[in-house]
């Protein structure tokens, strides 16, 4: 009953596919790199007899393919021929198939091509980057660029130029920068739609994947095939900062087009330095700034000059001491992403006014205190909630009061940090009110996790524990979480060297990661981990063996 088959690195002979062709229920066949060896497939003809139900023919990265057999026109069910990064000859033959379908009186299928005929990957990248440069400077019109490159993709490519050459680029950072720019023109599910953009760049051979998530479903980091360099990326202040400029044909009035201060909409620091004094006095002039990334500049207090940048949507800082955020933070009412990096011991303290940032979507700090929402009792009508919040980390465990939790009810990803002395796990019991929560992380929360699985939201899909020092038996409680798919046990998550899980636990767990723990013996039964797809072990030097029951 096999319906879908994917071959990767199998190096089959092409004639072996004739055997696969006899599988009567096969609906999808994907042949990835090195699926077959050789350059010719003789044994089968492209006729309606051999492919009676073929709807889509997709060919990618096959520059050596000379042509698509004209016999494909005889396949009545064929609706689409899609070519990506193929030769000019194969593209021309696809057009002939389409014309033949029309001449035979059948409905012609669509032909799509994601590169200009005759261009290899390098040529395509050169054309794209040159087109981005010209369009940004309004020297040519849209008709001169490749038809398959949307304006959103052209703009997104510029952001690769802010990173050092040949460096792995975090996709999350790209996505949040793209959202801050506003060129994606999205209203509701910003993150969901923004996640599609990196994969589209990969599919179009504009970037290649460096790292994927452990479950292999998302791109974590990538690199462009060609370095992005053009006049829209300004290198300033002795090479310590890079800036992106607003294209002259958008947003600004004619007499502002030559004003670089007004055209600058993004500033990024590069390389760890203490150069902020050189930029601080100039910030007030960048009135239209949307992105300010100072994550490579050490600061010891919040730069008050930033408070004048009312159009700011993305702010990233780097600290090495405790930091108090001023009450005037409420002026930055457009901020969507606020990131503060720093050493683990540094703590950021927010005033009540932080609740006035109604557009906030991502709040990521090494460790911070969030005051109760100033609207008073949680049972009364609330006026200041983070309605758009998606990500919060790392919130101090003592701040998990009902007032705070009710103010972040829509959060999907939450990180909680310990280190504060509290007498019970009472505050963490409030997490049950987070009915949108899918990802939860604990770090330095020593032996204070809730004693019942009912204290966790039923929506939880991913859980990460690091330096929590829980007993291995506590995982029996975690095993009761009904929708848990990913469990990561990082450094010193558990105490002890033996794990004997109860039966019928982790019924939906697909990925289990154990890293840098002192586990020696792990017992499993065939009633555990019924749908487990990946078991990842890292730095488990004491582990004697993987139980045979995993088979």
């Amino acid at each position: 009953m096999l319906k879908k088959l994917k071959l990767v690195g199998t190096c089959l002979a092409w004639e072996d596919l004739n055997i696969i062709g006899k599988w009567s229920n096969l609906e999808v066949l994907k042949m990835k790199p090195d699926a077959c060896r050789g350059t010719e497939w003789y044994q089968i003809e492209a006729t309606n007899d051999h492919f009676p139900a073929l709807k889509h023919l997709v060919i990618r990265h096959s520059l050596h393919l000379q042509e698509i057999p004209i016999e494909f026109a005889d396949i009545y069910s064929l609706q689409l021929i899609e070519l990506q990064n193929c030769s000019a000859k194969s593209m021309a033959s696809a057009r002939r198939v389409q014309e033949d379908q029309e001449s035979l009186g059948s409905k012609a299928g669509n032909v799509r091509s994601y590169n200009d005929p005759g261009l290899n990957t390098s040529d395509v990248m050169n054309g794209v980057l040159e087109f981005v440069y010209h369009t940004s400077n309004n020297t040519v019109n849209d008709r001169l660029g490749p038809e398959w490159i949307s304006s959103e993709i052209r703009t997104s490519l510029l952001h690769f130029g802010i990173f050092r050459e040949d460096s792995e680029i975090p996709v999350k950072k790209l996505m949040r920068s793209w959202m801050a720019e506003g060129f994606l023109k999205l209203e509701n599910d910003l993150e969901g739609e923004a996640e599609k953009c990196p994969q589209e760049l990969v599919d179009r051979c504009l970037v290649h994947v460096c790292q994927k998530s452990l479950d292999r479903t998302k791109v974590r980091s990538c690199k462009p095939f060609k370095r992005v360099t053009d006049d829209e990326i300004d290198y300033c202040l002795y090479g310590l900062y890079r800036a992106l400029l607003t294209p002259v044909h958008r947003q600004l009035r004619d007499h502002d087009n030559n004003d670089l201060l007004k055209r600058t909409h993004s500033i990024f620091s590069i390389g760890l330095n203490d150069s902020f004094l050189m930029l601080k006095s100039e910030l007030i002039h960048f009135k239209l700034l949307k992105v300010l990334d100072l994550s490579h500049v050490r600061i010891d207090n919040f730069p008050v000059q930033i408070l004048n940048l009312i159009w700011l949507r993305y702010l990233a800082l780097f600290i090495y001491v405790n930091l108090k955020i001023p009450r005037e933070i409420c002026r930055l009412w457009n901020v969507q992403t606020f990131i503060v990096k720093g050493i683990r011991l540094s703590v950021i303290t927010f005033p009540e006014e932080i609740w006035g940032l109604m557009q906030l979507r991502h709040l990521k700090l090494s460790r911070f205190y969030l005051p109760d929402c100033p609207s008073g009792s949680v049972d009364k009508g609330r006026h200041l909630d983070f309605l758009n919040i998606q990500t919060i980390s790392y919130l101090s465990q003592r701040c998990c009061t009902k007032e705070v939790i009710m103010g972040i009810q829509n959060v999907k990803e939450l990180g909680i940090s310990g280190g504060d002395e509290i007498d019970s796990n009472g505050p963490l019991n409030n997490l049950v009110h987070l009915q949108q929560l899918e990802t939860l992380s604990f770090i330095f929360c020593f032996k204070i996790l809730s004693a019942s699985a009912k204290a966790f939201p039923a929506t939880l899909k991913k859980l990460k524990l690091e330096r929590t020092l829980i007993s291995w038996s506590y995982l029996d409680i975690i095993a009761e979480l009904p929708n848990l798919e990913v469990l990561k046990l990082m450094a010193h998550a558990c105490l002890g060297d033996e794990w004997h899980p109860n039966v019928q636990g982790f019924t939906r767990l697909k990925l289990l990661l154990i890293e840098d723990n002192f586990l020696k013996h792990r017992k499993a039964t065939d009633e555990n981990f019924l749908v487990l797809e990946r078991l990842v072990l890292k730095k488990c030097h004491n582990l004697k063996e993987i139980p045979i029951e995993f088979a």
Side-chain angles (χ1 to χ4, degrees), residues 441-458:
S441 302
F442 291 102
I443 185 171
F444 291 104
C445 294
F446 302 125
K447 302 181 181 180
I448 61 167
L449 299 186
S450 301
S452 170
K454 295 181 180 179
F456 295 92

Side-chain angles (χ1 to χ4, degrees), residues 361-500:
R361 305 183 72 86
H362 303 282
L363 188 60
K364 294 183 67 68
L365 308 99
S366 55
R367 180 168 166 238
F368 70 96
Y369 296 137
L370 188 63
D372 289 347
C373 194
S375 58
S377 171
V378 296
D379 298 322
K380 297 179 181 179
R382 305 181 63 86
H383 304 290
L384 294 175
D385 290 347
F386 291 152
L387 296 177
N388 297 305
I389 199 70
Q390 302 290 307
T391 306
I392 292 181
S393 64
Y394 276 92
L395 177 66
S396 169
Q397 64 191 28
R398 78 177 189 186
C399 295
C400 294
T401 63
K402 190 173 183 180
E403 288 77 8
V404 170
I405 295 300
M406 297 302 287
I408 61 172
Q409 288 185 77
N410 293 329
V411 70
K412 293 182 178 179
E413 183 176 339
L414 175 64
I416 297 175
S417 173
D420 300 307
E421 294 184 4
I422 58 176
D423 297 332
S424 69
N425 58 17
L428 297 185
N429 289 331
N430 293 317
L431 299 180
V432 71
H433 298 292
L434 301 177
Q435 295 303 310
Q436 304 294 322
L437 190 66
E438 296 181 356
T439 302
L440 179 61
S441 302
F442 291 102
I443 185 171
F444 291 104
C445 294
F446 302 125
K447 302 181 181 180
I448 61 167
L449 299 186
S450 301
S452 170
K454 295 181 180 179
F456 295 92
T459 55
L460 199 62
K461 293 182 179 181
K462 298 180 181 181
L463 178 64
K464 182 171 78 170
L465 306 177
E466 182 174 359
R467 302 185 186 279
T468 49
L469 302 181
I470 60 174
S471 65
W472 287 101
S473 61
Y474 181 83
L475 295 181
D476 290 341
I477 295 176
I478 303 297
E480 297 177 20
L481 297 176
N483 295 298
L484 192 67
E485 297 179 359
V486 176
L487 176 61
K488 298 180 180 180
L489 304 175
M490 310 304 288
H492 309 300
C494 298
L495 281 177
D497 56 13
E498 292 191 359
W499 181 15
H500 300 281

Side-chain angles (χ1 to χ4, degrees), residues 12-31:
L12 298 175
W14 284 101
E15 51 267 26
D16 292 340
L17 296 184
N18 299 329
I19 299 174
I20 296 175
K22 296 177 182 179
W23 297 352
S24 58
N25 293 305
L26 191 64
E27 295 180 359
V28 178
L29 175 60
K30 296 182 179 180
M31 296 163 58

Side-chain angles (χ1 to χ4, degrees), residues 137-138 246-260 262-263 288:
N137 286 281
N138 204 27
T246 302
V248 299
H249 63 287
R250 291 189 299 164
Q251 299 181 356
L252 300 179
R253 295 167 294 183
D254 291 340
H255 64 271
D256 290 331
N257 280 334
N258 294 324
D259 189 336
L260 292 182
K262 291 183 178 179
R263 287 187 60 203
L288 301 180

Side-chain angles (χ1 to χ4, degrees), residues 189-403:
D189 186 14
L190 288 174
E191 287 73 20
E193 291 299 319
E195 283 181 356
K196 298 177 183 178
C197 194
Q199 188 58 53
E200 187 173 0
L201 294 176
V202 173
D203 292 342
R204 296 178 182 275
C205 303
L206 299 176
V207 302
H208 64 92
V209 177
C210 297
Q211 291 185 26
K212 280 193 171 185
S213 58
L214 284 175
D215 58 8
R216 316 301 293 173
T217 59
K218 296 181 180 179
V219 179
R220 292 300 186 203
S221 63
C222 60
K223 291 181 183 179
F225 280 113
K226 179 178 174 65
R227 177 69 178 158
V228 179
T229 54
D230 59 47
D231 286 349
E232 295 308 293
I233 302 167
D234 265 13
Y235 300 85
C236 54
L237 296 180
Y238 311 103
L240 300 177
Y241 297 93
R242 292 177 181 173
L244 290 176
L245 307 180
T246 302
V248 299
H249 63 287
R250 291 189 299 164
Q251 299 181 356
L252 300 179
R253 295 167 294 183
D254 291 340
H255 64 271
D256 290 331
N257 280 334
N258 294 324
D259 189 336
L260 292 182
L261 292 176
K262 291 183 178 179
R263 287 187 60 203
T264 300
H265 54 90
S266 299
I267 294 179
F268 303 84
S269 61
I270 56 171
L272 193 61
N273 60 77
D274 296 296
S275 64
F276 184 60
L277 288 176
M278 304 172 66
L279 180 65
K280 184 183 295 186
S281 60
E282 304 296 330
L283 275 180
I284 193 173
H285 301 296
F286 296 98
K287 297 183 183 298
L288 301 180
L289 202 64
K290 294 181 180 178
V291 176
L292 180 59
D293 188 334
L294 302 178
S295 56
H296 294 96
V297 180
R298 289 185 289 257
I299 62 173
D300 54 11
N301 55 67
F302 189 89
V304 294
Q305 294 83 358
I306 293 176
L307 299 173
N308 295 311
L309 305 176
I310 62 172
W311 298 108
L312 206 61
R313 295 179 180 172
Y314 180 104
L315 175 61
L317 305 174
F318 177 80
I319 64 170
Y320 55 96
V321 294
N322 292 344
L323 182 68
K324 286 189 175 182
I325 306 298
R327 298 176 64 180
E328 293 79 7
I329 190 68
C330 58
R331 295 181 190 171
L332 304 181
W333 56 277
N334 279 301
V335 165
Q336 297 175 349
T337 299
F338 189 9
I339 298 173
V340 181
K341 298 180 179 180
I343 60 175
R344 174 65 187 85
L345 297 177
S346 59
V347 179
I348 298 93
T349 304
F350 284 105
E352 285 186 349
E353 285 75 10
I354 187 65
W355 291 98
L357 302 185
M358 308 296 287
Q359 303 300 319
L360 195 62
R361 305 183 72 86
H362 303 282
L363 188 60
K364 294 183 67 68
L365 308 99
S366 55
R367 180 168 166 238
F368 70 96
Y369 296 137
L370 188 63
D372 289 347
C373 194
S375 58
S377 171
V378 296
D379 298 322
K380 297 179 181 179
R382 305 181 63 86
H383 304 290
L384 294 175
D385 290 347
F386 291 152
L387 296 177
N388 297 305
I389 199 70
Q390 302 290 307
T391 306
I392 292 181
S393 64
Y394 276 92
L395 177 66
S396 169
Q397 64 191 28
R398 78 177 189 186
C399 295
C400 294
T401 63
K402 190 173 183 180
E403 288 77 8

Side-chain angles (χ1 to χ4, degrees), residues 128-176:
V128 171
L129 298 176
E130 184 178 1
F131 182 61
V132 172
Y133 165 79
H134 285 311
T135 303
S136 299
N137 286 281
N138 204 27
T139 58
V140 301
N141 58 44
D142 287 357
R143 290 175 296 175
L144 295 182
E147 295 177 357
W148 51 275
I149 296 294
S150 66
S151 59
E152 289 83 4
I153 293 222
R154 296 170 198 145
T155 309
S156 70
L157 286 172
L158 285 175
H159 288 248
F160 287 89
I162 66 178
F163 298 93
R164 291 192 177 277
E165 188 169 359
D166 203 37
S167 63
E168 288 192 17
I169 300 173
V171 166
K172 278 192 175 181
K173 186 169 184 177
L174 277 174
M175 287 169 47
R176 289 166 185 164

